[in-house]
Amino acid sequence: MSTPTRRYHVPSARRSSRRIDADEARELIAAGALLVDVRRNDVVDVELPGAARIAPDEIPERLGELPRDKPIILVCT
């Protein structure tokens, strides 16, 4: 198996029980959840005020920055 490049991205084609809709995301954020924008750094068509920005290829080295005591909402395309 080859190693993917830094820009490689495969969207999930299957539904996940972990996906939430926008209303649930707003409720979680209002209750203190952290919003993390995990789109690639070259995708800046929409800014998310208050969101932490961590590109997918940076996630492993930045895990220590994420809180372990509150929900984390990941936003991707």
Side-chain angles (χ1 to χ4, degrees), residues 44-68:
V44 291
D45 52 344
V46 176
E47 299 237 354
L48 300 172
R53 183 75 185 248
I54 303 177
D57 56 321
E58 297 173 1
I59 292 172
E61 66 225 29
R62 295 185 60 188
L63 281 175
E65 298 175 29
L66 300 175
R68 298 182 61 91

Side-chain angles (χ1 to χ4, degrees), residues 25-45:
R26 284 186 201 94
E27 289 174 17
L28 288 166
I29 293 166
L34 174 65
L35 183 63
V36 180
D37 184 345
V38 294
R39 295 174 295 165
R40 294 185 325 258
N41 283 331
D42 60 337
V43 178
V44 291
D45 52 344

Side-chain angles (χ1 to χ4, degrees), residues 9-26:
H9 174 71
V10 178
S12 175
R14 61 187 170 171
R15 297 295 302 160
S16 168
S17 62
R18 301 268 184 180
R19 289 184 187 214
I20 60 174
D21 63 27
D23 290 334
E24 187 174 357
R26 284 186 201 94

